[in-house]
Amino acid sequence: MTGYIIRRILWFVPTLLAVSLVSFAIIQLPPGDYLTVLEAQMGAEGDYNPEVVARLRERFGFDQPFIVQYGKWMWAMLAHGDLGYSFEWRVPVSSLIGEYLALTVVVTAATLIATWVIALPIGIYSAVRPYSLFDYIATIIGFVGKATPNFLLALILMWWAYDTFGADVSGLFSPEYANAPWSWAKVKDLVSHMWLPLIVLGTSGAASLIRQMRANVLDELQKPYVEAARAQGLPEWRVILRYPVRVALNPFLSTIGGSIPELFSGAVTTAIVLNLPMAGPMLLRALVSQDMYLAGSFIFILSVFTLIGTLISDILLTLVDPRIRFEEA
Amino acid sequence: MANAIPQDSETLKAYAEASGWRLGWAKFRRHKLALISLYIVVLLYLLAIFAEFFSPYDHSDIHRRHVLVPPQAVHVFDAKGQLTWPHVRALKGERDAVTRRLSYVEDPQTTFSVRLFAPSDPYKLWNILPLETRFLGVSTPDRKATIFLLGTDSLGRDVLSRIIHGARVSLSIGLVGVALSFVIGIVLGGMSGYFGGWIDTIVQRTIDLLQSLPTIPLWMGLAAAVPPGQDPLITYLMITVILSVIGWTGIARVVRGRFLALREEDFVLAARFSGASEMRIILRHMVPSFASHIIASLTLSIPEMILAETALSFLGLGLQPPAVSWGVLLKDAQSLQVISQAPWLLIPGLAVVITVLAFNFLGDGMRDASDPYGKA
């Protein structure tokens, strides 16, 4: 098992390289570069100066071949943690994106935990009382939740909240805390704004978790060992929590890895609609204005986060379920 | 539900002799939700194909005097409370003295009856067939007679007509995208499963990598690379290609799994001993036996494509107006201000949800049916 975990971690390195190459290639795809955007802007403002543009082009290395540019970007990142320069914001990317990424991780992690806390009991209850009213309601909410795109759910909830409370509930902070330094009060403010993104991000994930947990527990409930436990006179809730639920949890754990990319994906669109200070809106803006290092860094780091999440969940799975086979690295 | 294996000898014989497709269909029909979903999907595609005929107006018709009209009611009782032929009432715009906001009131005296196969201004179906009849309309050519069942947008365009026209892009992008993913998926997945070895390793690692990446940021990056101001058809095709770049992985996994399972089957071995070529084994023996399973998983990946296109167009990275798709329509409803003033602009979202739900149930039913001997 240790061998498997080590192999799995070693495999992580080439994967990271591949991801960095893909991210860099994507942001190189659009015809032109930031300087073409700048040229157009200068042209519109009437102070177009080809010399300045040529100098900038040389400085940023836009005239060099792809692989050289990629090599420089990678080298700067590995050697100095330098992610490049944001042309639009005129500061290094690394000084810009930290807080946005940190909030992205906080919100997605909170969502993951919340979906578990909500989906597990509902799934178990649905399985213990199948075809009850509660089960039908959970099933309907589950299917509709899966079919509703995140951004649409965000719009509807935002509208509903505005209609009921008469307040705009977008954003992650109240205005007085938005630019304030971190403090205990700011953290409390963040928590009080978190419910909307949590619902939006968590619904589709929770929906599929409920379906899965229900199916797993239903399968286990029919097995003879459950009957044996009952025959020994254990109270029903203990029979269920002690045996079938524990077995049903294993296939369930293996789905966390798969749900993480989806969660980060959803976080991007949700953040754009709800105007959250997370990676989404910045990424969209950087892509549109061809601020390539900023966009590339976001795509790269978001991908790395999902890879790390998947890695952790894979390792956890091997620790929890010793029946996993290890022949494949 | 237990598997209903027929008991008397006559039907038992029919059951034993029935082809896999017939058994599958028989099983599919028992899945009520899937059957209803099949009808809904067929209906949606008919609406999309004959969009010009089914929509009450042209999707780009601008009604200057009817901007942001809320969904118009069809009345069956007239002003005196008598039951009459379904009719709509004339709308009168009124500006609030304080807020200057325009609102519309119905005039119960001026009514126009609703007609099926109503005469309309001449238009062309698929740009070729000249017609002067639409499925639904009002009986008079009077300019005051309007039928905006789902309201109008900020330019005074009929939302229902735009949803029906938008279905063309939104529904077809799923099919085209899945077809493209299918070609890539079956070639790579088939090679991976059939040959095994290092080809398998490379393909599987690539799939692992693509599946562990967050799709939306990747798609956004790729979609941002589509040069703006192109012919909408080119943009459409490029978006489809972008969606397939990741979409093929799921299909390749399924194809590979089936190949691996079937490679060891007796009938494949038998075909090989009788000297059939590799190509013949694959096409004549293996493909038919997993075709139904593949079709089911293809159906399940259509809604993912539809959702992806909607999200990209909503973000402004997919199709651009004047092209209409459900994502493009939802883009109009992006801010809280707009939604609180005109919530009916969110209705295209309902179309998305219904379509995705129908495809999900349909795919579920087909997946169950693709294993006709398994338990129901």
Side-chain angles (χ1 to χ4, degrees), chain B residues 2 9 35 44 77 83 92-93 96 112 123 130-131 134 141 192 227 239 246 271 309 316 325 353:
Chain B
S9 66
L35 198 62
L44 287 169
F77 295 103
L83 193 67
K92 222 168 75 190
D96 189 291
F112 308 99
Y123 66 96
L131 284 175
R134 291 188 194 255
S192 186
I239 295 292
I246 295 175
E309 184 276 328
S325 78
V353 175

Side-chain angles (χ1 to χ4, degrees), chain A residues 11 15 18-19 26 29-31 143 147 149 151-152 155 158-159 162 168 261 265 268 272-273 284 287 299 303 306-307 329, chain B residues 205 209 211-216 218 220-222 225 307 310-311 314-315 317 330 333-334 336 339-340 343 349 356-357 361:
Chain A
W11 183 250
T15 317
V19 170
I26 288 177
L29 276 178
F143 275 115
F151 71 84
L152 187 64
L155 286 173
M158 210 160 71
W159 170 48
Y162 180 79
D168 186 353
S265 262
V268 169
I272 292 171
V273 175
L284 181 62
L287 281 171
I299 295 180
S303 306
T306 53
L307 287 174
Chain B
R205 287 295 150 246
L209 179 67
Q211 286 193 338
S212 59
L213 295 180
T215 47
I216 294 271
L218 278 188
M220 281 167 70
L222 289 169
L307 285 174
T310 310
F314 173 77
L315 294 177
L317 293 172
L330 283 169
Q334 216 161 21
L336 191 53
I339 304 172
S340 59
V356 171
L357 270 178
F361 287 130

Side-chain angles (χ1 to χ4, degrees), chain A residues 41-70:
Chain A
Q41 267 175 17
M42 288 164 108
E45 284 159 19
D47 57 352
Y48 177 58
N49 186 342
E51 225 173 280
V52 173
V53 174
R55 228 180 24 242
L56 284 173
R57 174 152 305 177
E58 198 187 20
R59 191 179 139 207
F60 293 131
F62 284 164
D63 44 2
Q64 285 163 336
F66 169 81
I67 198 73
V68 176
Q69 290 192 42
Y70 168 74

Side-chain angles (χ1 to χ4, degrees), chain B residues 36 53 55 78 104 115 260 317 336:
Chain B
I36 295 170
F53 173 68
S55 58
D78 64 8
Y104 294 88
R115 274 187 60 179
L260 282 183
L317 293 172
L336 191 53

Side-chain angles (χ1 to χ4, degrees), chain B residues 14-28 30 369 372-373:
Chain B
Y15 178 79
E17 286 173 354
S19 70
W21 295 103
R22 278 199 51 192
L23 288 177
W25 173 241
K27 193 167 171 188
F28 179 81
R30 287 213 300 274
Y373 297 104

